[in-house]
Amino acid sequence: MTTTSPDEGRFGTLAVHAGQEPEPETGAIMPPIFQTSTYVQPDVGAPKRGYDYARVQNPTREALERNVAALESGEHGIAFASGLAAIEAVVKRLSAHDHIVTEENTYGGVMRMFTQVLEKLGIEFSFVDTRDPDRIRDAMRPNTRLVHIETPTNPMMRICDIVAAAEIAHEGEALLMVDNTFASPFNQRPLDLGADISVHSSTKYLNGHSDIIGGVLAVNDGDLAEDIRFVRKSTGAVPGPMDAWLCLRGTKTLHVRMERHNENGLAVAVFLANRGLQVIYPGLEQHPQYDLASRQMSGFAGMVAVELGDPARARTLATGTHVFQLAESLGGVESLISVPALQTHASVPKERREAMGVTEGLVRLSVGIEDIDDLLEDLDQALNQAVR
Ligand SMILES: *Cc1c(COP(=O)(O)O)cnc(C)c1O
């Protein structure tokens, strides 16, 4: 392939350049932060290039959207105030009595939104273990409009076969939405595998610096993009220009950061496995879905779960590290450690949580991009206290 412009290169070139041009007035290489709520119109009802109000259009946000669309090999990107807002906007295209099939081990906040907010408005949900595509097929109904999967899932690293899920969704005339937050487009591109929507909490790897809350999704279909933009304009969950700009600064280094997250994630998983611990990481051959993960992902990112078998040990490990910081969230340059059952997944009912393996002895690591030896030494000393 010959590259004719930086907008058409390979992944790293796209990350740095896609969707942006030097600012015409001065040549500023970074898109300006258009910190404005409105735009002056030359004549009544004749906005310049369509810019009338910043809930609807903002050039900084649009640069981010074009950039992420390119990374996801999609035609359209749409940015939101948070990952949850992005997922909610897709669901709000539907009507009462429409049905959604969704992964049961989806992110705790998504589960809470589905069961405690959207179900009340008459949207119907089936929660299934999407590791087995037949469970998705069995849950499909005539009124199923959307299949929502997450792969790998948080925090159990379940893998769902995106190609199979897309086929099943499309047979039932439903759309497939994939939460691609854990993999990032560097490692997995759902639209290329048949998904209709790839959605992110850009709070995590896309931004990568733990300094914003954001969401973004990518689609190929123009009508679908228009529908989702209509919901966003009508409900208002837009990111501010400063956050969009920070996220764009983050996506420029996504490929470089993800290489290190992939390397460090694997090294930590191997280290924990060699200590005889029960590690859950899709890049380890012992992961029950390693073959599928290797087929649809090119790397396995920095999320590692480890079952210590006992809540007290989990607590000792989570409070005993010095480089790994005890905090929720993930995907930033710094390593984090958490106990999902007591933190991110505390709102999931205990029985449901434990049935999926999210016990109080399960520790989740978001492995950052620090020097691996420091990370391993840190885990080693904390494990010496936790597992005697
Ligand atoms: C964090 C997260 C979300 C929610 O995103 P916010 O930006 O916090 O609203 C959704 N899905 C996954 C997998 C997440 O990790």
Side-chain angles (χ1 to χ4, degrees):
M1 185 178 93
T2 51
T3 302
T4 51
S5 95
D7 250 17
E8 296 169 18
R10 297 167 177 81
F11 193 93
T13 308
L14 292 174
V16 175
H17 294 284
Q20 302 150 73
E21 282 170 5
E23 189 272 324
E25 214 48 41
T26 63
I29 195 154
M30 271 303 279
I33 304 165
F34 282 87
Q35 193 77 45
T36 189
S37 60
T38 192
Y39 307 88
V40 176
Q41 307 186 11
D43 200 354
V44 180
K48 269 193 197 169
R49 295 171 52 205
Y51 287 101
D52 55 13
Y53 189 61
R55 176 165 18 81
V56 191
Q57 309 96 354
N58 179 282
T60 315
R61 190 172 88 202
E62 287 153 13
L64 169 66
E65 293 174 335
R66 289 189 296 265
N67 186 261
V68 172
L71 298 184
E72 284 282 350
S73 44
E75 289 292 318
H76 309 275
I78 309 176
F80 291 85
S82 68
L84 288 183
I87 294 170
E88 185 192 21
V90 173
V91 175
K92 283 202 170 151
R93 292 175 60 249
L94 309 187
S95 310
H97 313 303
D98 284 343
H99 175 244
I100 298 176
V101 178
T102 182
E103 163 60 42
E104 64 180 359
N105 178 218
T106 190
Y107 173 77
V110 172
M111 176 72 99
R112 180 176 56 206
M113 170 168 69
F114 286 173
T115 57
Q116 296 184 46
V117 178
L118 296 172
E119 218 160 35
K120 282 197 307 201
L121 303 180
I123 307 277
E124 298 168 11
F125 292 90
S126 296
F127 296 92
V128 301
D129 180 348
T130 63
R131 280 175 297 188
D132 179 358
D134 287 337
R135 301 267 180 98
I136 304 177
R137 197 187 310 277
D138 293 346
M140 296 292 287
R141 302 180 196 160
N143 59 337
T144 306
R145 302 278 312 280
L146 183 70
V147 174
H148 173 73
I149 62 170
E150 203 178 296
T151 181
T153 66
N154 175 16
M156 297 307 293
M157 318 295 164
R158 291 179 175 183
I159 308 294
C160 175
D161 184 332
I162 298 174
V163 171
E167 269 173 30
I168 295 165
H170 296 159
E171 272 164 29
E173 289 174 29
L175 298 182
L176 176 68
M177 168 155 66
V178 178
D179 188 327
N180 200 27
T181 301
F182 263 45
S184 93
F186 182 73
N187 288 324
Q188 174 171 278
R189 283 179 291 286
L191 300 183
D192 286 343
L193 299 171
D196 302 285
I197 303 162
S198 178
V199 68
H200 284 271
S201 168
S202 50
T203 312
K204 317 292 169 53
Y205 284 117
L206 285 182
N207 177 59
H209 293 76
S210 310
D211 49 14
I212 65 158
I213 298 288
V216 64
L217 58 79
V219 303
N220 274 317
D221 184 288
D223 292 337
L224 176 59
E226 207 173 304
D227 268 17
I228 297 171
R229 286 207 182 93
F230 176 80
V231 173
R232 184 183 60 175
K233 151 173 118 173
S234 307
T235 56
V238 293
M242 181 72 193
D243 284 3
W245 186 89
L246 282 168
C247 191
L248 180 62
R249 188 168 71 166
T251 56
K252 281 172 181 284
T253 57
L254 182 67
H255 53 304
V256 182
R257 287 184 286 109
M258 290 315 299
E259 277 177 9
R260 182 64 78 89
H261 283 295
N262 288 349
E263 261 173 52
N264 282 0
L266 181 62
V268 164
V270 167
F271 169 81
L272 295 171
N274 286 344
R275 283 196 60 139
L277 295 167
Q278 194 190 325
V279 185
I280 315 175
Y281 184 72
L284 285 185
E285 276 179 46
Q286 70 200 49
H287 188 287
Q289 295 177 288
Y290 174 74
D291 289 340
L292 172 60
S294 305
R295 233 179 13 253
Q296 65 184 22
M297 303 173 77
S298 57
F300 307 98
M303 297 306 297
V304 180
V306 53
E307 174 58 61
L308 295 179
D310 172 64
R313 279 181 175 177
R315 187 176 289 266
T316 307
L317 175 61
T319 55
T321 52
H322 305 305
V323 183
F324 282 85
Q325 301 289 312
L326 176 59
E328 303 191 13
S329 198
L330 62 111
V333 290
E334 57 287 286
S335 293
L336 302 178
I337 189 164
S338 67
V339 180
L342 303 179
Q343 294 176 296
T344 48
H345 289 61
S347 67
V348 180
K350 193 173 159 100
E351 315 79 69
R352 182 173 247 167
R353 210 165 61 205
E354 301 216 324
M356 296 183 298
V358 186
T359 67
E360 293 182 15
L362 185 83
V363 171
R364 189 187 81 174
L365 303 170
S366 173
V367 181
I369 65 169
E370 300 95 334
D371 284 289
I372 187 63
D373 289 342
D374 290 325
L375 297 179
L376 297 183
E377 281 167 26
D378 190 35
L379 289 172
D380 190 52
Q381 64 77 25
L383 279 167
N384 289 341
Q385 300 168 44
V387 188
R388 285 182 215 262

